[in-house]
Amino acid sequence: MIRKRLKKDFWCPTQWDSDTNLYEDELGWREENRSDAHSTDSWNIFKFYLGHYGFDLALYLVETDEFYYIDNIQNNEVWKLKNREDWDGQYIIERVEFSHCPDPEPEVIYEYKDLRDLWLNLKINEMYLKEVIEKSVVMVMH
């Protein structure tokens, strides 16, 4: 299978995998997400992680080259993460800090009352959350 490369030097190399490229087949919910949630429906997978377990979600939207963080555990906010001042410029995944108190302070782009509000009303780059997830690297944060 020929994989379509989207970004060079996205991932940090590991002892198990030296390929740092981001590929198109790495976007959206992963097979392990569908398996965990016992669903292929994006809304049900979303509810499983954020509603059932209360986890946060980090997203990297390729077309905007931006990281977003759904702070579901503490604040019911969606953040646009800012680049770390100490980023060495090498691997894109290290460009931002994934935490409840990222430094530098993120831009709050949406405050939501519940998951349905977030799912139906959040728009990033003129896309609703379902489409954003399909076009993003999705990281479940716990």
Side-chain angles (χ1 to χ4, degrees):
M1 174 175 99
I2 297 175
R3 299 173 79 193
K4 181 179 177 186
R5 184 175 76 179
L6 301 176
K7 292 280 182 179
K8 184 179 182 221
D9 292 329
F10 182 81
W11 303 108
C12 299
T14 67
Q15 67 185 41
W16 304 279
D17 190 357
S18 61
D19 188 355
T20 62
N21 296 316
L22 173 64
Y23 296 96
E24 187 175 50
D25 63 358
E26 295 178 296
L27 302 182
W29 296 115
R30 307 292 302 241
E31 181 56 39
E32 57 265 24
N33 302 132
R34 292 187 286 274
S35 177
D36 286 349
H38 302 287
S39 182
T40 57
D41 179 71
S42 191
W43 165 244
N44 287 332
I45 299 168
F46 179 77
K47 284 190 309 181
F48 175 77
Y49 285 113
L50 280 74
H52 182 71
Y53 282 107
F55 293 154
D56 291 347
L57 209 60
L59 304 165
Y60 172 74
L61 183 57
V62 175
E63 65 187 57
T64 62
D65 191 34
E66 298 286 353
F67 286 92
Y68 301 91
Y69 194 91
I70 299 174
D71 182 12
N72 184 59
I73 294 173
Q74 292 182 345
N75 297 305
N76 285 18
E77 295 176 339
V78 180
W79 304 333
K80 182 177 174 182
L81 298 177
K82 297 179 183 173
N83 292 352
R84 292 180 15 224
E85 293 175 15
D86 64 345
W87 181 50
D88 64 10
Q90 187 163 7
Y91 301 109
I92 296 169
I93 194 72
E94 294 181 327
R95 196 172 75 199
V96 298
E97 181 180 337
F98 301 107
S99 73
H100 291 285
C101 301
D103 184 35
E105 189 171 322
E107 174 188 349
V108 176
I109 62 168
Y110 193 75
E111 294 179 37
Y112 59 96
K113 64 180 186 221
D114 58 32
L115 295 181
R116 183 157 283 301
D117 169 37
L118 178 61
W119 187 256
L120 295 175
N121 297 312
L122 171 67
K123 284 184 105 175
I124 297 174
N125 204 36
E126 298 302 314
M127 295 180 289
Y128 288 104
L129 190 52
K130 180 180 187 220
E131 187 176 1
V132 171
I133 288 171
E134 291 168 357
K135 295 182 175 188
S136 296
V137 174
V138 179
M139 296 162 276
V140 177
M141 312 299 287
H142 37 88

